[in-house]
Amino acid sequence: MDSQTRLDVIGGLLAITLGGILQTVLIPRYVDEDLDLRLPVSAMPSLVSLLLIFFGSLMIVSGLVKLRQPSAKRKFAFDGDVGMSMVVFAILACGVAALHVLPYLVVTPIMVLALGCLFGRLSFYRVLLIGAGAPVTLYFLAWFGLERVLP
Amino acid sequence: MDVMLAGLLDALSLATLFWVALGVTIGIVIGAIPGLNSAMAIAIAVPMTFALSPLSAIGMLVGVMKGGGFGGAISATLLNTPGEPSAAATALDAFPLASQQGKPRKALKMALFSSATGDLMSDIMLILCAAPLAMIASQMGRVEQTVIILLAFTTVAGLAGNSMIRGILATLFGVLCAQVGQMEGSLAERFTFGINGLENGLPIASVAIGVLALPEIVKQIAAGRRTGTVQATIKETGEPAEQGLSFAEWWGCRWSILRGGIIGTGIGALPGIGSSVAAFISYSAAKKASKRPEEFGKGSLEGIAAAESANSSVNGANLIPLLTLGIPGNVSAALLVGAFIIHGIDPGPSVFRNDAQLIYGLFACMLMANLMLVVIGQAGLRIFSSMMRAPAQVLFPIVALICVTGVFLSSGAGLLGVWIMLIFGIIGWLMRRYDYSIVSFVIGFVLGGTLESSLRGAVTILYRDPFGKLPDHKFAIALVVLMLCFAVVRAVLVSRRRKRKETASS
């Protein structure tokens, strides 16, 4: 099975799984009822989940049909370093988590400096610019411009 | 007439003009950063508009859209790195003119003037067409509205990506995300999981920045160590007098600009096709019609003019389906729908009845934005070009910080909004990596609520005797037939293209 077919089958299976979870768990548990309405509140989510199952199945079938045809090796449309991208997301997530307990002006300089360090060594000027200049500017812009105090 | 004048006066107020000018500047600056485009610029700018009046906010976003279009041409010209796919056609001639002939300023000025002219043409078309089309559209009922939204979903899913099924799945996921929160016209909640802050739905700023801007920022930071800092090394050579763009040179390209404007306006009025197609069609049409086709690809001014006027004129034309039917034609227009909704305006045909003053003010803002694009673009050409020299190590962490701060301030959900942005950032990253159309997702998310209310209205109308009442909705039946024809024609074309590729490879 080439990578294109495998991705179509995996995508189809994910869509069917999401549709199935919606039908069996999410819609019965997390959708309120409103008896005044002609159509139930769950009508639209149910329709979407059924369509997800239908088009997911269609994608698996079309992937398997492609299997019988010669195809070129798939090239990702959004090619990038997967591991490093996850590190960037992790740095952002740690920064946001830290904002729950620590002030903005403490967390954000560390967060942006960590992101900057992924490019290589930071010069003193750049540490000053992105570690202090950017967070402080945004903090005061929010304070004076929007009259909102960041945490 | 009074409403028109009042709208015009609103647009000409100093505050509105300031925000439009700021929008144009932000658009050019963000658009000039390699990897970022005008849709991302709008997503990043949306949080800044929450505290503004509706006209200033939407005028500013329109300014960002127009500025971003030209900003993309700067990186295409100086780095041969188009900020968005549509600028790739511009790079074909602008980069050789800048690098091989040493005339970067001439290339940028031609891109600027063609972009502004193309924009102006599509804005005039929008102003002339929108109100009459909206009057016709306002006669349509819920059944027709439902079918039109479904037709838009099918068209966008079919044209915006490489696979129609993947496009439909992305649209369905967008519609599903739009179901989160309290249902319109009821107190019933869906998928809020007891989390405070989700009852108003997923904040549009969090979702838009998450799927549009964050994946690209993460990609650029992740690739930072490998690629280092990309810097423009182009230098001006030759006589200083030859660096500028003369009126005769611009006038010599008038037919390319006009043709590009018409192609871009025509394509932009159809949802989902996008500015890249317009730019390349216009480029090849200009090459065919040119007296000097051999110069194309080597720094032809006509080539730059054709590509830029076409891709910029798509922007204004994309607002035709938005203001007449409430259907956004691309991501930028979808974000404008979000801005309309945030400011309590219902985009669509009723907007001419309910908020006519705002719409005429918006038209005036669009025309002013074109003028500002020329003035700001001309005055700041050197500064904007120096954006190329800004190190990515400084630029992208700061843009990431702006996204986090902007979402925190604007979403109304505080840190929950930032978490939602991060989750949608990962979803957007996966969607882009595995070729699921972001455009389809965003349009599904923005129109999900409208689709549901239209569908509920349609069911109420057709309830009990659907087959007896359907003949009263001939327009809707015609649209369903059109939708099916589109799906069949697309399937046939894709199958033919595949067979042709197989024959060529064997």
Side-chain angles (χ1 to χ4, degrees), chain A residues 49-70:
Chain A
S49 66
L50 291 175
L51 288 171
L52 278 170
I53 293 171
F54 174 75
F55 283 105
S57 313
L58 207 61
M59 197 151 129
I60 293 175
V61 172
S62 77
L64 293 173
V65 168
K66 274 183 214 158
L67 185 63
R68 289 188 286 150
Q69 300 164 350

Side-chain angles (χ1 to χ4, degrees), chain A residues 75-131:
Chain A
K75 189 180 181 302
F76 290 123
F78 194 59
D79 206 6
D81 190 333
V82 180
M84 197 53 98
S85 299
M86 290 307 122
V87 171
V88 179
F89 276 119
I91 292 172
L92 288 170
C94 289
V96 180
L99 277 172
H100 284 280
V101 285
L102 292 169
Y104 179 87
L105 285 178
V106 172
V107 175
T108 51
I110 299 169
M111 189 175 82
V112 284
L113 285 174
L115 293 175
C117 283
L118 294 178
F119 286 83
R121 269 190 68 186
L122 281 160
S123 66
F124 175 71
Y125 160 73
R126 286 181 188 175
V127 167
L128 213 62
L129 185 68
I130 67 173

